[in-house]
Amino acid sequence: MATVLNTRIPPQTLQADIEAFVGLKAIPNYTPVNPAYSFDAVSQLHDALRKAQETEIHAQNALAAARDALSAIEREFHDAILGVKSQVKAQFGPDSDQVAVLGLKKKSDRRRSQTRASKEEVGAA
């Protein structure tokens, strides 16, 4: 008897089990000693398996739909915040405290680019 684990049966093994169940249907005089392995008991488990698989598929589809909806809302929110940042820069200026409140660097806080030394200055050094 198999122990109950929290891991799933590999798909190939499960498919082989389903094929064995289909084969069991073709055995006319199957009468096991243990009633837990009777055709009716195994048939009920097969039906429960199919129903659980169907439920899982519906849940996966619902999860995918929820993720798609969430992604669309995230994108819309992100685009709105980008617009807000642009509007704050336009209204208050790129060197304002309001720009810093939004998490952006003020223009005066940006590192100044260093100019390259001319060839004459390099040769004199």
Side-chain angles (χ1 to χ4, degrees), residues 85-101:
K85 290 176 180 180
S86 176
Q87 292 296 306
V88 168
K89 283 182 187 177
Q91 182 176 353
F92 298 103
D95 201 32
S96 66
D97 290 336
Q98 290 83 354
V99 168
V101 167

Side-chain angles (χ1 to χ4, degrees), residues 49-94:
L49 171 67
R50 290 294 185 196
K51 186 175 181 180
Q53 287 174 331
E54 185 178 315
T55 301
E56 180 185 37
I57 290 169
H58 290 303
Q60 287 172 341
N61 291 340
L63 177 60
R67 283 184 177 153
D68 289 346
L70 176 61
S71 178
I73 291 170
E74 286 173 343
R75 174 60 52 197
E76 193 174 335
F77 178 72
H78 176 69
D79 290 345
I81 292 299
L82 290 177
V84 166
K85 290 176 180 180
S86 176
Q87 292 296 306
V88 168
K89 283 182 187 177
Q91 182 176 353
F92 298 103

